[in-house]
Amino acid sequence: MGVVDAQRGLPAAPRRTRTLVPHPPALRDAPAPRAILVEGDPPAIRQVGSLDSPDPRGDPGGVTDVDVVVVGGGAMGSAAAWQLASRGVEVVLLERFARGHVFGASHGASRIFRLVYPDPVYVRFAAEALALWRELGAGLLTETGGVDHGDITGLPEALAAAGSPGEVLPADAARERWPGLRFDGDVFFHPRSGRLHADRAVDLLQDLTTALGGVVRHETPVLGLRVGDRVEVVTHQEVYRARRVVVAVGAWTAKLLDGLVALPPLTVTQEQPAHFAPVDATEWPAFIHRRPGAVYGLATPGEGIKVGAHGGGPVVDPDARDFRPEAGRLAALRQYAREWLPGVDPDDFAPISCTYTSTPDSDFVLDRNGPLVLAAGFAGHGFKFVPAVGRVLADLATSGPGGDRRFAADIPGRTGKT
């Protein structure tokens, strides 16, 4: 087949003993992916070698031809595979780790959904995603409403201009409505904010992909890419030869694409939010405290109130994470809870480990270079856009319109505000 062209209240959690996830041996055992440069690349890709040149690692037997291979079965790759399969495109999704793994940035039970950005590009993109989340069905998005406080300059105007106005409340009124939070100035409330269930979303997108005729393979590391007019995707089991390859591998992007595509600098950091036990059944909105060293949070049913600093964690190699919290950052997060979150117990908490992959301006990379489609740099604020990102990636893989030029890989000096 050719490529197609065309919950309100949260009960108080009991005190409990917490243990960190240990560093899993499987993370070290899987080989790092490798880029293999070949002849026939489009001008933007350096030309070295040949598709007929032997791979020094040795090839597994057999080559399977397919329209599109998606490398990376996290949220973005799974959404791309779903969108492609829904268009009748022959698609194979390859994921390095087992289903439900915790090594990337797509696991867990809670992510914030919001339309609230000062930038109309992101407001429009989030609105597209909202419609798609609702189409995907119940159990993924719970609209709790959300509050922004601190520097809310431009937020009410941006949402009103997009036809989705919110409400500005004085601090006293906001404290009365949400006693679990402390405010020191005006608060912007938006009713469409809420919580996404990340694990369920990834599972559903993969299940829909297979139901629509796509193939999903876990525990299938990609050893390298050979790029020409088509792309050979090398795995332990076999080689896939595809017209297009969507690369959505998060923290591993630079490792896989090194030498193949010019990308903005991508910085991988280990971040450490935590779940804090609520002190009562107070209703919690999603919240963002817009200040130097921004802090976000939301209720995660059964786990507590998730609170995290937005970025700023230590730079890490995704293949060498220890998953352990850094004492200083954890102490700062607990101090924030003491000062700003009267609705939680700052001494009853469970650390979480995740990664951010960030561009210098926090804008995404959604672009195509020859036969390679790129998805990277979601910087801790990308999950809300997942189904819309899938649409953009499917467009790029099938010669469709794609996304906003803002997300092109080659725009120098991009500026963005999250």
Side-chain angles (χ1 to χ4, degrees), residues 58-142:
D59 270 353
V63 175
T64 299
D65 285 299
V66 63
D67 283 347
V68 181
V69 171
V70 179
V71 183
M76 303 307 179
S78 298
W82 158 64
Q83 281 276 337
L84 287 161
S86 71
R87 303 178 190 195
V89 177
E90 184 183 36
V91 59
V92 174
L93 173 63
L94 303 177
E95 167 54 44
R96 177 182 179 183
F97 299 110
R99 184 165 178 151
H101 72 85
V102 298
F103 307 134
S106 296
H107 60 281
S110 58
R111 297 290 190 279
I112 291 176
F113 178 84
R114 58 186 168 103
L115 298 176
V116 181
Y117 282 80
D119 186 327
V121 170
Y122 282 101
V123 177
R124 289 193 299 269
F125 207 21
E128 177 186 350
L130 176 59
L132 291 169
W133 284 120
R134 288 171 171 169
E135 288 179 19
L136 283 166
L140 300 183
L141 173 62
T142 302

Side-chain angles (χ1 to χ4, degrees), residues 23-377:
H23 190 121
L27 191 62
R28 297 187 186 276
D29 295 342
R34 184 167 56 91
I36 306 167
L37 306 177
V38 301
E39 272 185 87
D41 295 340
I45 300 177
R46 191 159 54 91
Q47 301 177 5
V48 180
S50 166
L51 277 176
D52 297 324
S53 300
D55 178 359
R57 293 180 182 229
D59 270 353
V63 175
T64 299
D65 285 299
V66 63
D67 283 347
V68 181
V69 171
V70 179
V71 183
M76 303 307 179
S78 298
W82 158 64
Q83 281 276 337
L84 287 161
S86 71
R87 303 178 190 195
V89 177
E90 184 183 36
V91 59
V92 174
L93 173 63
L94 303 177
E95 167 54 44
R96 177 182 179 183
F97 299 110
R99 184 165 178 151
H101 72 85
V102 298
F103 307 134
S106 296
H107 60 281
S110 58
R111 297 290 190 279
I112 291 176
F113 178 84
R114 58 186 168 103
L115 298 176
V116 181
Y117 282 80
D119 186 327
V121 170
Y122 282 101
V123 177
R124 289 193 299 269
F125 207 21
E128 177 186 350
L130 176 59
L132 291 169
W133 284 120
R134 288 171 171 169
E135 288 179 19
L136 283 166
L140 300 183
L141 173 62
T142 302
E143 294 184 27
T144 62
V147 296
D148 288 70
H149 65 112
D151 183 5
I152 63 170
T153 303
L155 297 180
E157 295 81 5
L159 274 293
S164 184
E167 178 185 4
V168 177
L169 294 86
D172 289 345
R175 279 193 295 269
E176 182 176 353
R177 186 167 177 180
W178 300 289
L181 293 153
R182 185 170 78 82
F183 307 103
D184 62 355
D186 286 349
V187 175
F188 181 62
F189 170 73
H190 198 273
R192 297 283 76 82
S193 297
R195 177 181 60 251
L196 290 162
H197 198 298
D199 287 336
R200 290 177 189 165
V202 174
D203 285 348
L204 177 62
L205 292 167
Q206 294 182 4
D207 290 345
L208 289 172
T209 298
T210 57
L212 291 164
V215 175
V216 178
R217 293 195 171 172
H218 294 94
E219 299 180 272
T220 307
V222 170
L223 307 180
L225 303 175
R226 301 184 186 133
V227 183
D229 294 332
R230 297 194 181 193
V231 184
E232 290 190 350
V233 182
V234 183
T235 75
H236 283 299
Q237 294 82 11
E238 60 187 308
V239 174
Y240 295 90
R241 185 166 53 209
R243 296 175 183 271
R244 298 281 188 270
V245 170
V246 178
V247 178
V249 294
W252 290 269
T253 302
K255 291 190 176 191
L256 183 57
L257 294 178
D258 182 35
L260 286 176
V261 177
L263 291 167
L266 297 174
T267 302
V268 179
T269 56
Q270 180 166 286
E271 305 299 334
Q272 56 179 67
H275 284 115
F276 289 90
V279 298
D280 55 33
T282 294
E283 180 177 303
W284 286 83
F287 62 90
I288 295 177
H289 191 175
R290 294 176 177 268
R291 63 173 201 161
V295 176
Y296 66 91
L298 72 167
T300 307
E303 298 186 64
I305 308 304
K306 182 178 179 181
V307 184
H310 179 58
V315 175
V316 296
D317 179 338
D319 290 310
R321 289 169 62 197
D322 62 13
F323 288 79
R324 293 185 175 90
E326 191 275 317
R329 288 177 60 79
L330 183 57
L333 193 62
R334 295 176 64 193
Q335 184 60 33
Y336 179 88
R338 287 188 184 94
E339 294 179 6
W340 291 95
L341 303 176
V344 306
D345 182 345
D347 297 319
D348 187 1
F349 60 93
I352 309 166
S353 180
C354 64
T355 59
Y356 276 23
T357 303
S358 306
T359 60
D361 53 30
S362 295
D363 277 343
F364 310 149
V365 177
L366 298 170
D367 204 356
R368 193 177 87 195
N369 188 307
L372 296 177
V373 176
L374 319 173

Side-chain angles (χ1 to χ4, degrees), residues 394-410:
D395 280 357
L396 291 168
T398 59
S399 302
D404 196 283
R405 181 64 184 160
R406 168 81 165 271
F407 304 129
D410 61 353

